[in-house]
Amino acid sequence: MAADLFGWEGFRSSPGGLSKPNTLQKLPFPPVTKRHILNCSFHSWYLRYRGITPKARLLPLPPPFISYLRADGIVLPPDDNDRTEWSDSDSGIFSSTDNVSETDNEEEEDPSAQWRDIHQTIKLIIEELGGKIVPKLNWSAPKDATWIAATNSMECRTPNDIYLLLKSSDFVTHDLEHAFDGCEDDVITEGSEHEKLLTQSIPYFLILRKHITLNPSLEFRCFVRRRRLIALCQRDLNHFDFLFSLQDKFRDIIQQFFDLRLRNSFPDENFAFDVYIPPPHDRVWLVDINPWAQRTDPLLFSWLELLTLPEPPPLGPSELGTISLPLALKTNITSNPIRSLCNDIAPAKNYNSYKSDSASTSDTEEDETDIFIPEFRLVRRDDPEAYGFTTPQYSAHKLPRDVVDASRGGEGSLREFATQWKEVLAKQNQEDSEDGTED
């Protein structure tokens, strides 16, 4: 069920359990192009689907800001308001403001000197969006860096909150340095000037979304192959019993949403998209669009499954009729809110009841064979694989547990941990020096 991110075909069996994989399998992906990756960038699709996705602001990033994100170390701009926030949350160790002498040096080396306009604009956007936002870059949000935030989440209230998350995230680093990895448009030598120019040509954006409290059990990832919705699953990998009674309804409304909004309007025929269905579960919000590539987590599926699922039948006249009206209105898509979705189209058939009621005539039996039902996977209570889902997400990108525990311990914990860490390093350096003298 879990993603086979490294393409391993299988594991060797041994008396003690699973051991290292023995063969490497190349998954049968269609060629992944740079254009496909750019089409999935937030700035490429947001304006097209602005009416059906949560409110966001896009801020083009100049080269000096990109250089700041790529630079080693975490040095935050000196801002009086932000500095007060960091002092209150005991995070000054990351901005080098522990004492007055370091503060003076910091003011001389303001990392935002070349992009102060960006810094001020971010402040204004945060205020405009209610004082709390969630950041992301073109493709990735810094979900793997929430351990470093005082709130242990992606909620940001100041520009420095944003910078701290972005500079601590491996996901963001991937956007900056490896956005086109695996693409087959050009043969690019790693570290070559061609690669550097290609990476620099990407129009990077900082996306600031209004912070809203989402119920993670109502987020779903959907997979599209050849413009057909072939599979969907929950994003939060924990068991939620209530989802099973709503499974058919969610499948139907997501299918309607896809037919109406995405099938013929997104430029690529293969992609994955994330949706959120808030109570009372009569509308669908588009959260993100992801590449049809191995970098996208297939969650409850494996990529080999998604690539080899039975081919859906061609689009029939009834399905084409369903999307003819929305296609006529697609030029005005941003002004047609998703709340009118259920009034614009007829309710989708309930596939299970349709099967049970349609066994009387041969004509209906023929129609039955033409219906393709996307596979909808949920985490079951007795699912053996589900026991592994309780482990923290993105654990491979986190610091040791001591650091995480210190960040959650309230005021004084981080400073105490930093002091202890310095003492350990000093003692280790002293021992190394003594060993060198004895030799």
Side-chain angles (χ1 to χ4, degrees):
M1 294 176 66
D4 187 3
L5 295 180
F6 299 99
W8 297 110
E9 181 180 15
F11 290 84
R12 293 195 300 270
S13 298
S14 63
L18 298 178
S19 60
K20 292 182 180 180
N22 56 358
T23 53
L24 183 65
Q25 179 189 52
K26 184 176 181 181
L27 295 174
F29 277 98
V32 180
T33 65
K34 295 190 291 292
R35 175 51 52 190
H36 174 54
I37 300 300
L38 288 174
N39 287 341
C40 295
S41 176
F42 192 91
H43 79 280
S44 296
W45 57 263
Y46 176 69
L47 290 181
R48 184 184 298 120
Y49 304 123
R50 186 176 181 178
I52 55 175
T53 193
K55 183 183 296 186
R57 296 291 181 266
L58 280 66
L59 191 59
L61 297 179
F65 189 92
I66 300 298
S67 299
Y68 167 70
L69 293 181
R70 285 178 170 150
D72 293 334
I74 301 178
V75 180
L76 303 179
D79 185 281
D80 293 337
N81 293 330
D82 293 346
R83 184 177 300 155
T84 300
E85 294 289 340
W86 287 114
S87 176
D88 292 342
S89 62
D90 193 32
S91 299
I93 60 173
F94 298 107
S95 55
S96 301
T97 58
D98 281 344
N99 55 59
V100 177
S101 61
E102 291 179 347
T103 303
D104 294 339
N105 186 47
E106 181 188 359
E107 290 177 354
E108 296 175 0
E109 300 179 0
D110 179 4
S112 66
Q114 296 182 326
W115 40 272
R116 289 302 296 179
D117 55 336
I118 297 292
H119 187 77
Q120 297 301 325
T121 302
I122 291 175
K123 284 185 177 182
L124 295 176
I125 292 176
I126 293 175
E127 183 178 355
E128 176 192 354
L129 296 180
K132 295 187 290 185
I133 59 91
V134 174
K136 68 174 293 181
L137 230 56
N138 294 36
W139 297 276
S140 303
K143 294 181 179 180
D144 58 320
T146 54
W147 58 268
I148 204 171
T151 60
N152 198 35
S153 70
M154 288 201 300
E155 176 188 319
C156 296
R157 303 190 181 195
T158 69
N160 278 359
D161 291 348
I162 298 171
Y163 309 149
L164 185 63
L165 283 176
L166 295 180
K167 287 186 66 64
S168 304
S169 171
D170 288 341
F171 294 170
V172 169
T173 299
H174 185 277
D175 282 10
L176 294 172
E177 306 294 344
H178 305 284
F180 292 143
D181 280 8
C183 294
E184 301 185 12
D185 285 352
D186 296 310
V187 178
I188 303 171
T189 304
E190 185 176 355
S192 65
E193 289 299 319
H194 186 189
E195 182 191 39
K196 294 178 182 178
L197 290 175
L198 180 61
T199 304
Q200 292 173 355
S201 66
I202 297 175
Y204 283 105
F205 287 80
L206 176 62
I207 293 93
L208 303 179
R209 280 181 155 174
K210 181 181 178 64
H211 179 269
I212 55 177
T213 302
L214 301 180
N215 183 344
S217 65
L218 298 174
E219 295 182 80
F220 303 94
R221 176 156 293 179
C222 314
F223 300 92
V224 178
R225 196 178 78 201
R226 299 190 181 182
R227 299 202 181 279
R228 300 301 301 270
L229 180 63
I230 63 169
L232 53 158
C233 66
Q234 62 186 81
R235 287 196 62 192
D236 188 281
L237 303 182
N238 290 290
H239 171 73
F240 299 100
D241 192 62
F242 78 96
L243 289 179
F244 291 85
S245 62
L246 295 170
Q247 187 171 8
D248 288 338
K249 178 179 182 179
F250 284 165
R251 180 195 286 115
D252 291 347
I253 193 173
I254 292 174
Q255 180 72 65
Q256 292 175 356
F257 175 83
F258 169 71
D259 291 340
L260 176 66
R261 299 295 188 177
L262 297 177
R263 172 178 286 168
N264 287 353
S265 60
F266 191 72
D268 296 310
E269 64 176 7
N270 303 319
F271 60 98
F273 64 97
D274 297 333
V275 296
Y276 182 65
I277 309 178
H281 314 308
D282 59 358
R283 67 176 67 178
V284 179
W285 292 101
L286 178 64
V287 176
D288 205 0
I289 297 180
N290 308 288
W292 185 264
Q294 208 161 344
R295 68 186 66 184
T296 298
D297 190 347
L299 298 173
L300 297 182
F301 296 89
S302 72
W303 270 116
L304 186 59
E305 284 182 285
L306 294 172
L307 291 166
T308 57
L309 280 174
E311 186 74 19
L315 294 177
S318 60
E319 290 174 297
L320 291 174
T322 301
I323 63 174
S324 59
L325 177 60
L327 287 178
L329 299 175
K330 68 179 181 179
T331 55
N332 194 32
I333 193 168
T334 59
S335 62
N336 188 10
I338 190 60
R339 64 175 57 92
S340 63
L341 172 61
C342 296
N343 297 326
D344 291 342
I345 57 178
K349 297 177 181 178
N350 183 298
Y351 297 110
N352 294 332
S353 63
Y354 178 73
K355 286 184 177 180
S356 62
D357 295 340
S358 60
S360 56
T361 64
S362 58
D363 293 340
T364 309
E365 289 176 357
E366 291 179 1
D367 291 341
E368 245 184 87
T369 61
D370 293 334
I371 295 178
F372 175 79
I373 305 175
E375 183 165 354
F376 193 175
R377 288 187 181 174
L378 302 174
V379 179
R380 299 182 180 277
R381 186 188 303 275
D382 58 349
D383 193 341
E385 289 86 351
Y387 291 105
F389 296 158
T390 58
T391 58
Q393 286 185 300
Y394 322 120
S395 57
H397 306 275
K398 294 181 178 180
L399 287 186
R401 182 179 180 86
D402 290 343
V403 178
V404 181
D405 291 342
S407 68
R408 295 177 177 176
E411 186 170 356
S413 297
L414 274 176
R415 191 177 302 278
E416 180 182 352
F417 178 82
T419 302
Q420 294 175 355
W421 182 250
K422 290 178 182 179
E423 292 175 354
V424 171
L425 292 179
K427 183 177 179 179
Q428 182 177 352
N429 292 334
Q430 183 179 358
E431 292 176 350
D432 291 343
S433 300
E434 292 175 355
D435 291 342
T437 303
E438 292 176 359
D439 294 342

